[in-house]
Amino acid sequence: MVVVGPAVGAPATQPTGAAASAPSPAPVVVVDSRTLTPAEAGRGTDEKEILVVQALDQPTNLTIQDMPICDAMRLLAEKTGVPIEFDRFVLGCLPYGSKTLVTAKIENQSLRDSLGALLRPLACKYGLIEGKVVIQPRPALFRICRRATWDEVTLIEKLYATDWSKALADSLDFQFQDMSAADSDANRKKFYELAESVGAGHAARVLELATHQYGWQWHPEGPKTVVFCTRTRQVELQLQRLISAQYSEVQIKDVLLDLAGRAGLLLKMEPGVLASLPTQQAERFRMHVENVTIRQAFELIAGETGLGYFIEPDGIRITANTVAAGSASSSEETAARTVQALRANSIVGQITVPGENGPTFFIREQDL
């Protein structure tokens, strides 16, 4: 039996994040003061993971009562010998974070089943990473991009525990962001068609697969609303996370990677984009930010270095900022290409809205 509940009176506000110094380098695996070769390190990691997998299948007995989740996981790790950690996002997603209280009675159950039962009501899961069990938020919980409410956590749990059906979908409110309100019914109909093509499964699985087909993402909002948005919009939401960080004499590539990691985004860089920076800037970059969004941090880097960034459906792309280097001739070339494109797409009709001073909209050939 596993029971999970909130901590009464615990704060429910989004933290700004702990200040960070230079990103920590990857640890070097050392045995008997001798640095391992990549092959030896790989074998060591593989053996650690096998031991953890075996431990996950062993029966466990544990009783905890109203214990903060961090302490509960520490006790479980000590009891089983399995290293358990939280990823960098999960506590910031839970309504009461590290103050979430857990009550559990585990009797002769495998650690695998016990962890699943313990984390499911919190809309969390666990993964095996480099020989450690890592507690993570489920994708829908992470995509809220703020501290969730208990209603939203409960809705995610329901969607994972309930098979998809049209009756379930009809009981939910759908909100389509970045899409015309007039198209709401059409979008809902389109989603039902996508869901039918996915087939059977729990509701969260159908939501994931159906939205992926159409380039959407989803997350809960409130007790019964499912929000749909484009992937680009989702990236923008993740860039709104607040952080505080201090980088001192750090390679700028590590700063960019750290910021993208804090947003949970893929970072892409155009070839040679950092090679154009002065050595001092590229190798010994300094920046101190307090309570700013990750997007503002990228803006500060762009302003100081001249680098540009683009928000794409799958992450952030760093590029050389060519706008500032534009010349009059390049502007003339752009204008010429625009005129040429308009001529190739001639006006074939117009619509005038009735009424005094009603606006007129022109229809071009490609609009048809």
Side-chain angles (χ1 to χ4, degrees):
M1 178 185 71
V2 178
V3 181
V4 179
V8 177
T13 57
Q14 174 69 33
T16 59
S21 57
S24 301
V28 178
V29 181
V30 178
V31 174
D32 295 333
S33 301
R34 180 177 65 86
T35 302
L36 299 180
T37 66
E40 291 172 327
R43 283 198 302 272
T45 300
D46 183 61
E47 290 173 359
K48 285 172 60 180
E49 289 188 354
I50 291 173
L51 289 174
V52 172
V53 170
Q54 291 173 338
L56 285 171
D57 292 327
Q58 296 300 312
T60 303
N61 294 284
L62 181 68
T63 300
I64 52 179
Q65 181 71 36
D66 290 339
M67 182 179 294
I69 187 170
C70 293
D71 295 337
M73 291 301 165
R74 188 179 301 112
L75 182 61
L76 190 57
E78 292 172 355
K79 179 78 173 179
T80 61
V82 175
I84 302 177
E85 296 182 0
F86 294 87
D87 83 350
R88 71 192 308 171
F89 299 109
V90 64
L91 293 178
C93 293
L94 292 175
Y96 296 160
S98 61
K99 300 297 184 182
T100 302
L101 296 185
V102 179
T103 295
K105 185 176 182 180
I106 302 171
E107 295 180 339
N108 203 33
Q109 298 184 49
S110 70
L111 178 58
R112 187 186 304 277
D113 292 339
S114 300
L115 269 176
L118 185 66
L119 297 174
R120 198 173 301 119
L122 300 176
C124 293
K125 60 179 183 174
Y126 70 89
L128 187 59
I129 301 176
E130 296 183 350
K132 294 175 289 189
V133 170
V134 180
I135 311 300
Q136 305 164 319
R138 289 197 180 277
L141 179 64
F142 170 77
R143 289 194 295 259
I144 296 176
C145 295
R146 56 169 169 77
R147 199 174 290 281
T149 66
W150 281 111
D151 283 339
E152 291 161 348
V153 170
T154 301
L155 178 55
I156 294 175
E157 180 192 6
K158 175 183 177 181
L159 293 174
Y160 272 94
T162 309
D163 287 338
W164 171 262
S165 67
K166 188 174 183 299
L168 173 64
D170 288 341
S171 71
L172 300 172
D173 295 328
F174 285 0
Q175 182 185 116
F176 297 91
Q177 293 184 351
D178 298 335
M179 307 172 206
S180 170
D183 295 333
S184 179
D185 290 341
N187 285 332
R188 192 177 189 107
K189 181 180 178 182
K190 178 64 179 178
F191 177 76
Y192 281 5
E193 293 172 356
L194 293 170
E196 291 213 1
S197 70
V198 169
H202 58 70
R205 172 185 177 273
V206 173
L207 278 164
E208 288 289 338
L209 295 177
T211 52
H212 181 76
Q213 291 183 63
Y214 210 60
W216 290 342
Q217 296 279 22
W218 72 276
H219 64 266
E221 188 168 293
K224 66 172 188 173
T225 299
V226 174
V227 174
F228 297 88
C229 66
T230 62
R231 292 183 188 175
T232 301
R233 173 59 177 161
Q234 181 61 44
V235 172
E236 291 176 342
L237 287 174
Q238 289 172 224
L239 288 172
Q240 293 306 307
R241 293 179 181 273
L242 292 172
I243 63 166
S244 294
Q246 183 172 342
Y247 305 101
S248 180
E249 306 292 326
V250 180
Q251 289 190 7
I252 195 167
K253 68 177 179 61
D254 292 330
V255 176
L256 295 170
L257 286 168
D258 185 60
L259 290 174
R262 286 170 178 249
L265 296 173
L266 174 68
L267 180 72
K268 296 177 287 184
M269 291 191 240
E270 292 186 348
V273 67
L274 300 183
S276 60
L277 295 178
T279 302
Q280 173 71 23
Q281 214 170 39
E283 300 294 327
R284 295 182 292 278
F285 186 77
R286 302 179 67 181
M287 184 174 73
H288 181 205
V289 292
E290 289 282 351
N291 200 31
V292 302
T293 66
I294 298 174
R295 184 166 189 169
Q296 286 174 317
F298 274 111
E299 292 284 356
L300 288 171
I301 293 175
E304 186 168 339
T305 65
L307 295 174
Y309 72 93
F310 289 92
I311 296 174
E312 297 183 334
D314 58 348
I316 293 286
R317 179 163 57 92
I318 304 299
T319 182
N321 190 349
T322 57
V323 176
S327 62
S329 59
S330 64
S331 298
E332 291 172 0
E333 291 174 4
T334 301
R337 286 195 297 268
T338 302
V339 171
Q340 184 178 3
L342 290 174
R343 287 175 178 170
N345 187 22
S346 57
I347 295 175
V348 295
Q350 68 181 48
I351 298 175
T352 301
V353 178
E356 186 178 356
N357 300 321
T360 297
F361 301 93
F362 294 99
I363 302 174
R364 294 187 177 274
E365 186 174 353
Q366 290 183 3
D367 296 334
L368 301 178

